[in-house]
Amino acid sequence: MSPTLDQMREAQRALEGPLFSGLPGDIEVSFEFFPPKTEKMGETLWHSVKTLEPLNPRFLSVTYGAGGSTRERTHEAVRRIVSETGIPAAAHLTCVQATREEVDQVAREYWEEGVRHIVALRGDAPDGSGSYTPHPGGYENAADLIAGLKKIADFEISVAAYPEVHPDSPDRQADLDNLKRKFDAGATRAITQFFFEPECFFDFRDKAVAAGIEGEIVPGIMPVMSFAAVQRMSGLCGTAIPDWMEGLFEGLDERPEARQLVSATIAAEMCRRLYAGGVRQFHFYTLNRAELSYAICHMLGLRPKA
């Protein structure tokens, strides 16, 4: 997909002037959290929710553990977002270790409680126990799950996309074909796995358009809390870590404040380059910490709204 004249001008401005000067704050954002395991973690999660709420996000999503291992905690976090904030909540739902009837019942409960948005995922094998296998009597994959959810209610549905190819996909084309099936089944948007090079997203977006995918594709942004943790996660999901990144975090293991500044700088610059390429929607993987995501949004011109 060729850049528009406005995008080319914007790209030139990004190169010529102070990188973040004059941004109008015309972006839309969403934030992802995981269900807390302890009361203390719950306090941290809720502090983060309240910190990010004034940015008027499109939605807040809450993840779902492998095999439904966090089902009740996910449900409780989603319920609290619905009842105590003005932000739409998006509940993650997977196909793993559950029958269609069990998944459908969870979806119906969400709808009855005012949740209108589901993040529909195939899910991974629990505890890393080998390759994914559909549950007997369960949904086979994400596209199958989306079709089932649409029969229950008119949910808004977000799905996953993989700029660097899903680890289980044989190749790029198979991965794009699977993404198209999810949109054809009724998905509203795709949110990408995290990545660290803007060109990775632009290349994927262009290939998706060429494959006939017309739905919204939102980049998933992962501010680095811990470089070692990101290395582990990247190995599981197939994300490439640029050589230069390790050097920037070298020696910062025992300096969390400095590490946070470096992380915010890297992520904000990548988002600025995405903005220059026409991106106006961003999804942040917060890891239940608000400050990095808030700082990046601020640098992109987004301000709290009354």
Side-chain angles (χ1 to χ4, degrees):
M1 185 170 62
S2 299
T4 65
L5 183 58
D6 285 344
Q7 289 172 3
M8 293 174 67
R9 288 171 176 162
E10 170 57 33
Q12 187 65 29
R13 281 196 295 269
L15 292 171
E16 289 179 347
L19 194 60
F20 296 96
S21 66
L23 292 179
D26 58 340
I27 63 170
E28 296 180 307
V29 297
S30 53
F31 302 104
E32 182 168 302
F33 303 92
F34 61 84
K37 295 181 180 179
T38 65
E39 183 176 344
K40 179 66 175 176
M41 292 173 70
E43 292 172 0
T44 299
L45 166 63
W46 200 245
H47 173 75
S48 296
V49 168
K50 299 307 289 184
T51 297
L52 295 168
E53 183 179 11
L55 296 180
N56 194 31
R58 294 203 288 176
F59 59 88
L60 304 179
S61 70
V62 183
T63 63
Y64 196 72
S69 58
T70 65
R71 178 182 298 176
E72 293 305 319
R73 287 185 280 122
T74 297
H75 204 145
E76 180 57 35
V78 169
R79 184 185 296 116
R80 189 173 182 187
I81 290 171
V82 169
S83 63
E84 298 184 31
T85 79
I87 310 169
H92 285 222
L93 199 55
T94 73
C95 307
V96 180
Q97 289 194 326
T99 65
R100 287 173 178 260
E101 290 74 18
E102 290 170 334
V103 173
D104 290 352
Q105 181 58 35
V106 172
R108 291 190 188 96
E109 290 174 5
Y110 277 134
W111 186 267
E112 290 168 1
E113 292 174 1
V115 177
R116 298 293 182 263
H117 187 169
I118 298 290
V119 180
L121 308 166
R122 187 202 70 178
D124 297 318
D127 303 320
S129 55
S131 60
Y132 169 81
T133 302
H135 187 277
Y139 287 107
E140 183 176 352
N141 51 41
D144 192 25
L145 172 59
I146 294 163
L149 291 172
K150 284 296 188 179
K151 291 178 182 177
I152 293 170
D154 188 23
F155 284 107
E156 177 180 352
I157 297 178
S158 294
V159 298
Y162 291 80
E164 296 168 88
V165 183
H166 191 284
D168 291 347
S169 291
D171 54 42
R172 163 68 69 200
Q173 190 56 52
D175 209 33
L176 288 170
D177 291 343
N178 185 52
L179 180 58
K180 189 173 188 306
R181 282 192 292 271
K182 290 189 279 189
F183 274 109
D184 291 345
T188 310
R189 74 180 55 79
I191 300 170
T192 75
Q193 183 58 270
F194 66 90
F195 54 91
F196 296 113
E197 298 278 13
E199 294 76 13
C200 176
F201 176 79
F202 293 135
D203 180 66
F204 174 72
R205 186 180 63 180
D206 290 348
K207 285 182 169 61
V209 171
I213 296 170
E214 298 179 353
E216 176 185 322
I217 300 178
V218 180
I221 309 300
M222 172 77 81
V224 178
M225 304 287 184
S226 160
F227 186 70
V230 164
Q231 284 180 308
R232 289 194 297 272
M233 288 186 284
S234 296
L236 293 172
C237 65
T239 296
I241 298 179
D243 293 338
W244 52 262
M245 184 176 286
E246 184 172 3
L248 288 177
F249 285 100
E250 184 179 0
L252 298 181
D253 290 348
E254 305 303 323
R255 296 182 178 276
E257 293 86 1
R259 188 173 67 242
Q260 192 170 43
L261 288 171
V262 171
S263 178
T265 300
I266 293 171
E269 181 177 341
M270 184 177 73
C271 289
R272 181 64 178 89
R273 291 165 66 189
L274 291 169
Y275 183 95
V279 175
R280 294 296 182 270
Q281 288 81 31
F282 298 86
H283 182 78
F284 291 90
Y285 298 109
T286 70
L287 299 181
N288 290 12
R289 301 282 181 173
E291 293 306 321
L292 280 175
S293 297
Y294 190 99
I296 296 163
C297 291
H298 183 89
M299 293 176 76
L300 292 172
L302 189 60
R303 299 291 184 269
K305 295 177 175 60

